[in-house]
Every structure is written in structure tokens, then in C-alpha cells.
């Protein structure tokens, strides 16, 4: 089975935190997420995790003992921001601002219209999460949302890259298909953007240039640590990832006693070092 055929879609977004209870409460109270699982395990030390969901968007908050200072020193990272779909954009922005969310420096004055992304443009406003992660509320002007209101779950995950075509080719190995493109003019020059999709989950690949490209080279694991993709068979995926030339950062498959029967997983690195967890939830 090819790796692209093994992957069944997005699993979760991993966000490290030094305050697990506070971060979980923030997502529940301010954005309407629902906590559905929590666990404490030993994995290179004590590890506390909480899983929360907002429709199809699942977040894994991870609190590692003795890692609080390292969490605080992280920057924005290669995984730059995640976007939540907002059909009634103005109302969604108003509600989160009433909950105390503050604009991120990337949209300091609030909502922006990105005219050159998609056929009719995209509206977005970036906010700061409890661990300094960047959260975008996003409205695709080309989509007919019907009567839907409120935050709808996944819009996309933004990844800053150094070579757009190389990144598209890499994600095609993981079963993604290019579904759109656009560009954004900045003081550093024009940033070309490609959207790739796997089972309805989209990545926004942003090719950096100028000073932004130099800054990208210094980025590592950031406030958003990793994205997890689900597979049917992790053992087969482990073999196929190596065969396909992926940079597999784990020497062996790992397991954790999460959910009813545990999970089996390993990490690979994308072209710019972004962390991608390949994950299988085990069953009898």
C-alpha cells in the first residue's frame, strides 16, 4: 500500500503548553471547543495531554514536565497559524473579541481582505492564543456557506516554506492534491501561495522571500508543534515513508496508551523541518 493510500485524513494539531488546565479552559470558554479526552502518561518524563474538538478540528494540548521554559521561548515556528472557518465572519470576529481575544501583529488593525487568494478573495483576522499560537478566523468569499453561522472547524493550516513546488511535491507523497493558489504582496516582495488538500483538510503553503526567507531558516518547532495525519496501518506507513525518501525522525514505531486501545505513531519532517505525526488509533 502506498503511503498516499494509507493516509485517511487529518488527526489533530499538537500545541505544547506550560499551563494545560488554563489553555484547555481558554479554548472551551472563548472559542467553544469541547474537551473529550485527557490522560497522564510517562513519555520521556511525565506528559499530560488534553484533546479538544470544534467540529472536525481537533487540538492536542501537551504539557511536558520541566518543559515550561522551553515552551515560553518558542517562536511562531514553521507551522505558522491555523485557521477556523467563519461563515458569518463579522459576527464571529465580534464574539471572540468580546471574549477578550487580541489581534496578532500580522493583522494589527483587524480583518484583512486577501484579494488575490482564491477566485473571489479571502477575509481573515489573526488572534493570539493562550500559548502565543496564531489563530485565524477565515471566510472564503468564493464559498456559499448557506445558513451556517458560528465557528465551523478546520479552514486550513498555514506552513511557511522556502520552495513552494518542492513542498507541493512532498505533500503529494502524503496523498495531498493541489487545489488552489494565490499570492500576497508584502514589503519583502510577492509571496506565492499554494493550497493542497487531503480528504477535506487543507494546507496553505506560503513561499517566503527576502527577509522572511532568512527568518524562516531560523524557525524550528514553534507555538504550534506538529500536525497529525491518520493512517490505516502505521507499520506499513513506517516502511512506505522510508521507501518514499521521507525524513523519518523516529528510529522505531512508538506507542502511547491513549484512547481505548492505544495509538501507534512516528514522526516525519517536511521540506522545511515541519513536524508531521503519522498516527494510527489501535483497535482489537
Amino acid at each position: 500500500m502506498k503511503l498516499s493510500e494509507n493516509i485517511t485524513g487529518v488527526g489533530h494539531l499538537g500545541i505544547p503548553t506550560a499551563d494545560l488546565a488554563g489553555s484547555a479552559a481558554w479554548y472551551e470558554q472563548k472559542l467553544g471547543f469541547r474537551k473529550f479526552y485527557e490522560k497522564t502518561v510517562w513519555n520521556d518524563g511525565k506528559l499530560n495531554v488534553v484533546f479538544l474538538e470544534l467540529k472536525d478540528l481537533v487540538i492536542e494540548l501537551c504539557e511536558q514536565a520541566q518543559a515550561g521554559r522551553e515552551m515560553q521561548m518558542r517562536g511562531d515556528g514553521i507551522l505558522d497559524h491555523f485557521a477556523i472557518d467563519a461563515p458569518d465572519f463579522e459576527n464571529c470576529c465580534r464574539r471572540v473579541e468580546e471574549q477578550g481575544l487580541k489581534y496578532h501583529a500580522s493583522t494589527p488593525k483587524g480583518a484583512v481582505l486577501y484579494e488575490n487568494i482564491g477566485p473571489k478573495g479571502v477575509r481573515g483576522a489573526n488572534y493570539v492564543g493562550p500559548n502565543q499560537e496564531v489563530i485565524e478566523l477565515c471566510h472564503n468569499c468564493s464559498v456559499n456557506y448557506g445558513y451556517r453561522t458560528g465557528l465551523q472547524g478546520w479552514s486550513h493550516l498555514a506552513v511557511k516554506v522556502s520552495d513552494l513546488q518542492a513542498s507541493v511535491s512532498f505533500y503529494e507523497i502524503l496523498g495531498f492534491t493541489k487545489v488552489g493558489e494565490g499570492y500576497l504582496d508584502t514589503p519583502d516582495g510577492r509571496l506565492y501561495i499554494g493550497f493542497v488538500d487531503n480528504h477535506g483538510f487543507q494546507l496553505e503553503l506560503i513561499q517566503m522571500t527576502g527577509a522572511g526567507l532568512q527568518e524562516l531558516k531560523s524557525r524550528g518547532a514553534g507555538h504550534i508543534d506538529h500536525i497529525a495525519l491518520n493512517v490505516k496501518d502505521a507499520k506499513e506507513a513506517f516502511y512506505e515513508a522510508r521507501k518514499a525518501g521521507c525524513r523519518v525522525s523516529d528510529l522505531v514505531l512508538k506507542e502511547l496508551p491513549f484512547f481505548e486501545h492505544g495509538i501507534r505513531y512516528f514522526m516525519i519532517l517536511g521540506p522545511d523541518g515541519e513536524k508531521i505525526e503519522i498516527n494510527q488509533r489501535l483497535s482489537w
Side-chain angles (χ1 to χ4, degrees), residues 226-259:
H226 66 272
I227 184 67
L229 301 177
N230 291 333
V231 292
K232 304 170 189 173
D233 186 330
K235 288 183 178 179
E236 179 70 18
F238 189 69
Y239 167 75
E240 288 295 339
R242 291 180 176 277
K243 182 180 176 182
C246 298
R247 287 191 290 165
V248 180
S249 59
D250 290 314
L251 297 177
V252 296
L253 278 172
K254 296 181 176 181
E255 292 190 6
L256 282 171
F258 290 169
F259 307 110

Side-chain angles (χ1 to χ4, degrees), residues 8-212:
T8 60
V10 65
H12 64 262
L13 188 68
I15 300 177
T17 179
D19 179 7
L20 186 65
S23 294
W26 190 94
Y27 275 99
E28 289 178 301
Q29 296 167 9
K30 297 184 182 299
L31 294 181
F33 279 75
R34 181 185 70 87
K35 179 170 64 176
F36 68 93
Y37 184 82
E38 55 187 317
K39 183 85 171 182
T40 297
V41 299
W42 290 90
N43 183 41
D44 295 328
K46 187 178 181 181
L47 173 66
N48 302 311
V49 300
V50 164
F51 284 82
L52 305 104
E53 62 183 0
L54 177 67
K55 298 186 184 294
D56 63 344
L57 169 54
V58 177
I59 290 175
E60 176 193 34
L61 295 174
C62 313
E63 181 186 60
Q64 188 87 45
Q66 310 300 322
R69 179 170 174 78
E70 190 269 338
M71 298 296 100
Q72 295 171 0
M73 293 177 64
R74 289 190 176 204
D76 285 344
I78 300 163
L79 302 181
D80 187 75
H81 67 267
F82 70 95
I84 303 174
D85 220 8
D88 52 332
F89 182 72
E90 292 86 356
N91 287 333
C92 288
C93 291
R94 176 179 54 80
R95 292 188 194 110
V96 301
E97 288 161 23
E98 288 173 351
Q99 291 295 324
L101 270 68
K102 303 299 182 184
Y103 295 131
H104 183 259
S106 53
T107 59
K109 296 182 180 179
V112 176
L113 174 61
Y114 302 105
E115 297 179 346
N116 300 306
I117 298 177
K120 297 182 180 179
V122 171
R123 299 185 69 192
N126 294 347
Y127 298 91
V128 181
N131 309 287
Q132 303 306 305
E133 63 269 36
V134 182
I135 304 164
E136 179 184 9
L137 299 194
C138 182
H139 179 95
N140 187 336
C141 301
S142 303
V143 172
N144 180 5
Y145 289 99
Y147 295 101
R148 284 180 289 167
T149 61
L151 301 179
Q152 296 296 302
W154 271 118
S155 172
H156 62 266
L157 172 65
V159 186
K160 289 190 171 179
V161 305
S162 56
D163 184 331
L164 181 58
Q165 186 52 55
S167 291
V168 169
S169 297
F170 167 79
Y171 283 103
E172 286 175 342
I173 296 173
L174 302 185
F176 284 80
T177 302
K178 188 174 181 182
V179 293
E181 59 187 17
Y183 64 88
L184 177 64
D185 287 322
T186 74
D188 280 336
R190 179 165 290 183
L191 307 183
Y192 290 96
I193 298 171
F195 287 89
V196 294
D197 181 278
N198 185 314
H199 291 87
F201 168 61
Q202 290 196 4
L203 296 175
E204 178 188 32
L205 305 174
I206 308 170
Q207 180 171 293
M208 304 307 294
T209 188

